[in-house]
Amino acid sequence: MTDPGPAFSRLFARELPPPAPRWTGFPTHNFVGGHNDPTLIPTRALAEAAIAVLERNGPTLALYNSDGPQGFRGLRELVVRKVAGRAGITCTADDVLITAGSGQGLELVNQLLLDPGDTVLVEQFSYAGAIAKLRRRKVNIVEIPLDADGLRTEALARILEDLGRRGIAAKYIYTIPTVQNPTGSILTAARRGELIAIARQHGVPIFEDECYADLIWDPDVPPSLYAMDPQQVIHIGSFSKTLSPALRLGYMIAEWDIMRRLVACKREADSGTGALEQMIVAEYFSQSFDQHVGTLSRMLHGKLDVMVEALEKEFGTAVEMFRPKGGIFLWIRLPDAVDVTKLVKPAADAGIAFNPGPEWACNPQGAKSYMRLCFALPSKDQIRDGVAALARVCFEETGIPARSANVRRAAAGQSG
Ligand SMILES: Cc1ncc(COP(=O)(O)O)c(C=O)c1O
């Protein structure tokens, strides 16, 4: 018998997302999403930070937004010090808005700039959450081609000229310049300069998403786009990847003309970001940011090496890997004959979850043989076992990869 649903389901608004399935727990081999490494959550230090801030600031929990609608001043000051380092940004706590994860930053920028029918430029492969939010707002997504050095600026210039000829003014350029999601590239310094010049020439704002920028293998990276031109750029970042996605903390940096609009939009969206987690993160990271992020990055790099090795062993020449320059994901491509969307169900039945490429692409059809694997959550042994299990499912569904190391695979039930 089919479930008739609640009596008022006929009253639901027209444009809802599909209903959520009931949550049945995490899969055994979990390569999806942006989870962190559980062994590197500094639980004792966070507990000590919680006690310290509660003893010092506890009574302020009686107020909504005790430091104003932009968030806890201590955390905004921490963001100012942090981005003054590698990102090269000069700003004050008044230029920072603390958000409930950087996902809220994406929503706020969309709310600020987009109406249905608008045009937005997005990297060919990009964060699925950002693409989904744009689709729900019914905007036209125009893809910017990528290569190993990030978005291709000469192609961007051509696209903007073509749009201009057709009388279309793009609302913003969304880019993840430092450790691109999903490809893991870092936009070169030369291209950063070109991107800003092109954006200025066409009067299009740049929306810079620096979710993974602190988790890099080589610290010698170019300054952020916001540092190069604060008037042309809105900048967002997150504590999800450097510390914990469960704490739900991110931030936005923008000049006051934009900031005051973002603050107004956020006040409509919520009644403030959770104060206790803001205080705890400010307390802990004031002492330990460099040390924590250094340890985490080294650990992640080690796990990436294990994943690359496991993929080489299990998939051999059948896999093309786009080795990231930091972060938590490996973007891979399988032969054209493999449609990864057809692997999702059999993989799930075998306890494996991966992110299918089409969800990370402006043009889903063009990414049907790609997948994204997160290496942060599983242990090194779990990575090896999970990749072997994934290769087996792929072989059983498609005949690819035919070998594991130099041993020819046999279909289930066959020997030899
Ligand atoms: C590029 C990018 N931006 C933003 C987010 C949102 O993250 P959060 O809301 O946890 O900060 C993610 C999450 O994976 C992401 O990959």
Side-chain angles (χ1 to χ4, degrees), residues 215-237:
L215 302 176
I216 42 179
W217 316 147
D218 176 359
D220 190 16
V221 291
S224 71
L225 297 165
Y226 187 88
M228 296 168 76
D229 193 344
Q231 285 168 355
Q232 197 64 31
V233 182
I234 300 175
H235 178 103
I236 64 171

Side-chain angles (χ1 to χ4, degrees), residues 33-34 100-104 106 127 130 174 176 181 209 211-212 236-241 245 248-250 329 360 372:
S102 55
Q104 186 177 40
L106 290 163
Y127 170 42
Y174 174 64
I176 311 167
N181 180 3
D209 186 344
C211 202
Y212 304 92
I236 64 171
S238 178
F239 291 105
S240 290
K241 318 300 165 167
R248 306 307 307 131
L249 284 178
F329 306 117
W360 262 257
R372 196 192 71 162

Side-chain angles (χ1 to χ4, degrees), residues 10 14 62 67 77 85 96 107 112 127 133 143 158 169 186 198 236 266 280 300 305 319 331 344 357 385 414:
R10 68 194 162 81
R14 270 193 301 277
D67 281 344
E77 282 167 354
V96 179
E107 277 298 2
L112 179 69
Y127 170 42
K133 284 179 172 54
E143 69 171 42
R158 271 202 312 279
I186 294 183
I198 295 165
I236 64 171
K266 184 169 189 299
I280 293 171
L300 291 171
D305 288 343
V319 65
W331 181 238
V344 172
D385 293 348
Q414 271 176 250

Side-chain angles (χ1 to χ4, degrees), residues 146-158:
L146 287 166
D147 65 19
D149 290 333
L151 71 78
R152 282 177 40 207
T153 40
E154 94 293 345
L156 172 68
R158 271 202 312 279

